[in-house]
Amino acid sequence: MPAHRAPLGAFLRSRRDGLTPAQAGIEPFPGPRRVPGLRREELAVLAGLSLDHYSRIEQGRQPTISEDVVEALSRALGLDGVEREHLRNLAAPVRRAPRDDSASQQADPGLLRVMDNLAVPVLLLGRRGVVLARNALLTAVLGAPMEPGSSFLRWLFLDPLARERVENWADFAAPAVGAMRYEVGRHPGDRRLAALVAELRASNLDVARWWDGHGVTDRTSVGKRIAHPVAGPLEFGIESVAKPQDPEQRLIVYTVEPDSSTARNLPLLAAWETVA
């Protein structure tokens, strides 16, 4: 299988293995079953494709894949919107690698102005989870400096403090792996991103397990519970904001419920951080 088509075949197999004939609304084809989910021929029928055509796609032998075929496979597999877009990215023709994937990223001035006007923890992330900016409250809440240019993903997966500070770490970390896979699908030529994924998979068993599950997300909002050594328990809703003209930069805003204990403790935490 050509290397650039391997992710497509692996994703299709993972979704096919996770969908039983009953879930797909069809009777199982006769004969012994060697797969946990749909057989290739069952998925081919569901998608309105010949077995040979679908087999060529999954085995990486189909040079071009039309939008109609992508949509047919998405419907047959019951993919959600993010998974459909991921499949579309994987099925697209090979794109040229970026001219310089080591170029530094610059924080968007408009997003910086938004961050400066918010009285809650805020983090601005760029490609590959690179920290572009953060406010003092974010540093106080997470207990990590999060200096611009550092990697939020390395902190999340490799720093023991992340698991200590984020009580529901797995609920937050698993979607982060899905977001990495989604980004890899959008930027298959990004060598630094591929190296980061390889590093995290080799260093963290949870990352390796989630990555091998082929789940994809688009940085969906996930609540975060923080165990803070000074302020005590803190609860945040995490919202991701991007400008349509530059979706690669995301403003991660830690929202709070009005009149909650977290809302009351944030000003105290900000004052404590200033004194510290």
Side-chain angles (χ1 to χ4, degrees):
M1 178 184 296
H4 70 277
R5 285 303 191 197
L8 172 63
F11 180 68
L12 287 171
R13 286 193 300 275
S14 73
R15 302 305 93 175
R16 179 165 62 84
D17 286 347
L19 185 66
T20 66
Q23 290 170 328
I26 63 172
E27 290 293 326
F29 284 17
R33 305 191 69 82
R34 295 189 297 271
V35 294
L38 293 176
R39 295 173 173 172
R40 283 180 181 169
E41 55 266 34
E42 291 169 336
L43 178 53
V45 168
L46 278 170
L49 305 175
S50 70
L51 175 59
D52 179 64
H53 189 183
Y54 176 74
S55 295
R56 290 200 308 271
I57 294 172
E58 189 175 289
Q59 295 170 356
R61 296 184 290 111
Q62 180 67 29
T64 60
I65 304 169
S66 71
E67 179 66 20
D68 288 343
V69 168
V70 170
E71 284 301 310
L73 288 172
S74 297
R75 287 193 299 270
L77 290 167
L79 302 185
D80 62 26
V82 175
E83 290 172 324
R84 283 174 181 248
E85 187 61 27
H86 183 61
L87 178 60
R88 186 173 292 109
N89 289 333
L90 296 179
V94 180
R95 288 158 288 189
R96 301 175 67 175
R99 292 184 180 180
D100 183 11
D101 62 12
S102 66
S104 61
Q105 304 177 67
Q106 301 299 318
D108 181 89
L111 293 178
L112 287 177
R113 286 193 295 272
V114 173
M115 183 176 70
D116 290 342
N117 283 276
L118 295 175
V120 293
V122 186
L123 176 68
L124 179 59
L125 294 179
R127 290 269 300 277
R128 314 176 202 97
V130 171
V131 176
L132 301 181
R134 84 283 185 258
N135 61 11
L137 262 179
L138 187 283
T139 297
V141 165
L142 296 185
M146 294 293 167
E147 295 291 348
S150 65
S151 171
F152 177 78
L153 293 172
R154 286 193 177 95
W155 175 81
L156 181 63
F157 294 114
L158 304 183
D159 190 333
L161 177 63
R163 287 180 186 258
E164 296 174 11
R165 190 62 63 98
V166 184
E167 289 187 335
N168 59 331
W169 180 86
D171 294 339
F172 189 76
V177 174
M180 274 199 302
R181 181 174 283 284
Y182 189 56
E183 185 174 358
V184 168
R186 294 200 313 273
H187 303 288
D190 190 330
R191 293 162 294 183
R192 295 182 71 189
L193 177 59
L196 176 63
V197 170
E199 175 192 349
L200 296 178
R201 290 181 67 193
S203 304
N204 187 294
L205 293 177
D206 288 314
V207 174
R209 174 168 56 86
W210 289 324
W211 186 267
D212 291 342
H214 291 272
V216 289
T217 60
D218 188 19
R219 305 183 194 179
T220 52
S221 301
V222 178
K224 183 180 284 187
R225 300 193 305 272
I226 300 292
H228 197 277
V230 174
L234 302 171
E235 294 191 9
F236 298 97
I238 307 300
E239 300 298 336
S240 176
V241 180
K243 299 174 73 171
Q245 63 269 33
D246 187 8
E248 301 297 346
Q249 292 194 22
R250 299 290 183 103
L251 200 64
I252 312 301
V253 182
Y254 286 51
T255 63
V256 297
E257 288 290 338
D259 300 322
S260 65
S261 60
T262 299
R264 291 191 295 270
N265 284 333
L266 276 183
L268 301 176
L269 188 56
W272 174 80
E273 175 68 13
T274 301
V275 173

